Amino acid sequence: MLKSAIAIRHIHFENLGTFEAVLAGAGYKLHYHDVGVDSLSMLDPVQPDLLVVLGGPVGVYDDDAYPFLAWERALLSRRLAAGRPTFGICLGAQQMAATLGAKVAPTGVKEIGFSPLTLSSSGWASPLRHLDGVPVLHWHGDAFEIPEGAENLASTQLCGQQAFAVGRNLLGVQFHPEAEACNGLEPWLVGHATELSTAGIDPRAIRADAIRHGARLREAGRAMFGEWLEGLEP
C-alpha cells in the first residue's frame, strides 16, 4: 500500500521539484494542498505519513495580512507534538521553528543565489552530509533561531542557522535543496522579479548559476532527502 505525503504549497512554482521522484521511489503518493485554494481546516494534522511545508514569499509574523499562517502553525503544533514525520523548506522551516517556540525575524539581508553550506558536527552525522561542497539555492530574507532541543545542522556566512532537526522525524531547512535548477529556474526568476529588482540582484547571474550547479544539486538533494525518508521512525 502506498504511503501518503501531503505538501502544503504556498506559491505554485515552489513545489517539491526534484524530490517528487524520490517520494515516488520510496512508495509515497504525493498530494499538493494549495493555500488559498484548499482549506487547511480540511487537513488531518497527524494522519498523513509525511507532511511537507514548502516555501513562500511571506513571513511567519504576517498573520494579520495572511491569516492562513496561524492556521498552518496550529496544524503543525498538533503534528510536531505527535512526532509525525515533517519536512519544512524555507517558510515551511520557519513555520516549524516558530511552532516549536523559536524566534523568526528578518535578517536585514537578502540571501538569494547559490552558495555551499558549512555543516556542523551534527550536520555531518545527518543526511545533509550529501550536500557538502554543493552550491545550494538560497532565497530568503528571514531566518529562524534553533528551537530548544533541536540540532543546528548547517550555516552560511550570511545565516548562522540553515537547518535544524529534532530526532529523526522533524527536519527544517532554510535553503531549497528541492529546486529544479537545471533549466535555469525561470518560473522563480519571473515570479520573484520584483523582489530581485528591489534587492539589486541580476536574474541572469542566478540563471547561469542554476544551469551550472543544477545537476549536482539535483543528485545531492535527492540523496539527502532519500536517506532522511529511509531513517524515519514509525
Side-chain angles (χ1 to χ4, degrees):
M1 179 182 296
L2 290 175
K3 293 170 283 190
S4 58
I6 301 291
I8 298 178
R9 181 166 54 184
H10 305 104
I11 187 167
H12 194 72
F13 56 81
E14 292 198 28
N15 53 37
L16 270 167
T18 65
F19 287 2
E20 290 186 3
V22 180
L23 283 173
Y28 286 85
K29 181 177 176 59
L30 172 63
H31 173 74
Y32 284 104
H33 196 89
D34 289 302
V35 169
V37 177
D38 306 306
S39 173
L40 289 172
S41 65
M42 300 298 291
L43 283 181
D44 184 322
V46 298
Q47 185 275 327
D49 294 301
L50 172 67
L51 178 69
V52 181
V53 186
L54 294 165
V58 296
V60 165
Y61 41 79
D62 286 331
D63 289 6
D64 287 346
Y66 301 100
F68 80 84
L69 291 162
W71 279 90
E72 195 170 270
R73 290 196 302 276
L75 183 153
L76 281 168
S77 180
R78 291 182 58 191
R79 185 165 182 92
L80 301 185
R84 296 286 282 150
T86 308
F87 182 57
I89 299 173
C90 199
L91 174 61
Q94 293 162 9
Q95 285 279 75
M96 288 174 63
T99 300
L100 293 169
K103 181 181 178 182
V104 180
T107 64
V109 178
K110 291 288 187 180
E111 187 174 27
I112 299 176
F114 286 83
S115 66
L117 303 166
T118 297
L119 299 180
S120 68
S121 58
S122 295
W124 275 108
S126 80
L128 265 70
R129 70 181 180 279
H130 293 286
L131 299 172
D132 177 50
V134 178
V136 299
L137 177 65
H138 304 275
W139 207 300
H140 68 102
D142 293 349
F144 49 71
E145 294 183 353
I146 301 300
E148 184 176 354
E151 296 178 295
N152 188 1
L153 304 180
S155 64
T156 60
Q157 288 187 342
L158 290 179
C159 182
Q161 301 82 234
Q162 284 285 352
F164 70 88
V166 180
R168 293 185 178 182
N169 284 3
L170 308 183
L171 177 61
V173 299
Q174 190 83 260
F175 53 96
H176 289 273
E178 84 295 352
E180 177 52 86
C182 291
N183 294 322
L185 289 174
E186 211 61 29
W188 292 64
L189 300 180
V190 174
H192 294 311
T194 299
E195 181 180 26
L196 291 174
S197 177
T198 301
I201 297 172
D202 189 341
R204 292 169 292 189
I206 296 178
R207 184 183 297 115
D209 281 346
I211 294 170
R212 182 179 301 116
H213 303 305
R216 288 184 67 200
L217 176 58
R218 178 186 61 208
E219 298 310 311
R222 284 177 171 174
M224 181 275 290
F225 190 54
E227 183 176 320
W228 182 71
L229 289 175
E230 289 178 0
L232 293 176
E233 296 178 333

